[in-house]
Amino acid sequence: QVQLMDSGGGSVQAGGSLILSCAASGFTHSGYCMGWFRQAPGKDRERVASIHTDGSASYAESVKGRFTISKDNDKNTQYLQMNSLTPEDTAMYYCAGTGRYLYSCPVSRNDYTYWGQGTQVTVSS
């Protein structure tokens, strides 16, 4: 059974940092695109960052230069380092995996098969 367990959310003040983690079980995430999405109340779920099997990363424009996605293949875990947080980053964050090899990592949530349960990030001004 495939499971993604995301954690690390919390409440911080603007300008602060958080590290989210996502531990995968039931499949080897190194063979697939992995990503982080977020969803704020009343808004669509949007891709924040993704990382390819070759380690290359891509980011939403809104987080470029502030967030860093990484993975540890030995631990089957991916991370999202979030710096310089703003209230606009407040959302439920979800890790996701495509479940199949792709030439490039997709942006659409519809292309991701596996999802974590979500971890809340709240940034106060």
Side-chain angles (χ1 to χ4, degrees):
Q1 181 181 359
V2 174
Q3 280 191 320
L4 298 179
M5 296 293 293
D6 39 27
S7 61
S11 296
V12 296
Q13 290 191 323
S17 299
L18 283 173
I19 302 176
L20 305 185
S21 300
C22 174
S25 62
F27 79 110
T28 303
H29 77 94
S30 61
Y32 312 120
C33 284
M34 299 296 295
W36 287 96
F37 286 72
R38 67 185 180 187
Q39 187 166 17
K43 295 188 176 181
D44 291 335
R45 189 172 297 188
E46 63 172 353
R47 191 212 57 154
V48 174
S50 54
I51 187 164
H52 195 263
T53 55
D54 62 7
S56 59
S58 58
Y59 300 91
E61 285 296 325
S62 58
V63 306
K64 273 185 182 177
R66 301 188 298 123
F67 290 12
T68 303
I69 188 172
S70 62
K71 60 178 181 174
D72 184 330
N73 290 335
D74 290 338
K75 295 182 178 179
N76 220 23
T77 300
Q78 66 162 341
Y79 306 93
L80 185 68
Q81 171 74 51
M82 305 186 294
N83 298 327
S84 302
L85 286 161
T86 73
E88 288 69 37
D89 296 315
T90 295
M92 184 73 80
Y93 284 70
Y94 300 88
C95 68
T98 57
R100 58 193 175 102
Y101 176 82
L102 295 171
Y103 184 75
S104 63
C105 290
V107 175
S108 171
R109 60 178 291 185
N110 295 326
D111 292 310
Y112 289 80
T113 302
Y114 305 117
W115 291 88
Q117 79 283 1
T119 184
Q120 178 68 37
V121 172
T122 302
V123 185
S124 58
S125 58

